[in-house]
Amino acid sequence: MLLACLPGLALAADARAQLQSFVDRVQSATGQFSQERTDAKGAAQKPQSGAFAFQRPGKFRWEVRAPYEQLIVSDGQHVYQYDPDLEQVTERRASQAVGASPAALLFGSGSLGDAFDLQTMPDRDGLQWLRAVPKTPDAGFVHADIAFSDGLPRRLELLDAFGQVSRIVFTGLKANPDISSGQFRFTVPDGADLVKMD
């Protein structure tokens, strides 16, 4: 009787189901993010903030705007990381850079179970949580915890191989907007060095 009065709770899906629904139904999205990182000793680095966009399969744009600028763009074939301060662009094959990365969890396509062991975690902070553990030892991180509500990702907490923890909060997320294809094209800026990691 109580659940009948609270349809939101009655229909609430666990994080694993919400992640699969997000991958299946949301083909593109835009939003903002804020990110904090602490090292293995608990010391905090400067927080970052910026905007992101993605379009399946495998296209995304991750733009850090503060406290310094950095841009990561994937056109689905290659991933470009641009550091304006260093005037350097790093290019990698998308399959190498994204395959078992946290980006693949949210921006990729296909079967998540092929690359990750997925474990439902207890609810926390009013959110449903899921832990993704990469199946390959060279993924660069130990596990990623993703929080969902209302079918959308709200937080990502990543533990890397060096004991650093990155906490990312997503805000203003819009599902399935029209996004210009130019958002996912990258041209090396004049004067910048290109380093190919293939």
Side-chain angles (χ1 to χ4, degrees):
M1 186 72 172
L2 177 60
L3 288 178
C5 298
L6 299 170
L9 289 178
L11 299 175
D14 66 22
R16 185 170 185 157
Q18 290 187 67
L19 173 60
Q20 192 60 57
S21 177
F22 180 74
V23 171
D24 291 342
R25 299 182 183 182
V26 178
Q27 296 305 305
S28 63
T30 59
Q32 293 78 48
F33 69 89
S34 59
Q35 178 174 337
E36 297 180 349
R37 179 177 294 170
T38 55
D39 64 20
K41 296 181 180 179
Q45 300 179 8
K46 285 185 178 180
Q48 298 179 353
S49 61
F52 70 91
F54 78 84
Q55 187 174 70
R56 304 190 199 280
K59 296 179 181 179
F60 65 87
R61 181 183 186 92
W62 188 268
E63 186 175 356
V64 178
R65 296 174 177 170
Y68 52 83
E69 294 184 5
Q70 188 179 55
L71 178 63
I72 303 173
V73 177
S74 172
D75 60 11
Q77 301 297 318
H78 293 88
V79 176
Y80 302 90
Q81 183 170 334
Y82 174 45
D83 190 322
D85 289 339
L86 298 177
E87 293 188 319
Q88 180 174 296
V89 177
T90 302
E91 176 188 309
R92 293 180 173 85
R93 290 186 188 276
S95 58
Q96 296 173 340
V98 178
S101 74
L105 285 165
L106 300 178
F107 309 146
S109 59
S111 174
L112 295 170
D114 291 344
F116 304 96
D117 287 318
L118 303 175
Q119 308 161 12
T120 301
M121 305 291 286
D123 289 4
R124 174 162 52 94
D125 300 331
L127 302 170
Q128 291 79 52
W129 291 81
L130 174 80
R131 174 163 292 179
V133 179
K135 291 183 176 181
T136 57
D138 58 349
F141 69 102
V142 178
H143 62 71
D145 293 345
I146 310 171
F148 280 84
S149 70
D150 300 321
L152 297 174
R154 306 297 181 179
R155 298 188 200 169
L156 176 65
E157 297 184 357
L158 179 75
L159 174 65
D160 72 17
F162 303 101
Q164 298 182 114
V165 178
S166 298
R167 296 179 176 86
I168 302 171
V169 177
F170 301 107
T171 55
L173 199 151
K174 297 179 181 179
N176 295 319
D178 290 328
I179 304 175
S180 166
S181 60
Q183 289 283 303
F184 309 112
R185 286 197 295 263
F186 183 82
T187 301
V188 178
D190 291 341
D193 295 326
L194 175 62
V195 179
K196 295 188 176 184
M197 304 297 288
D198 294 352

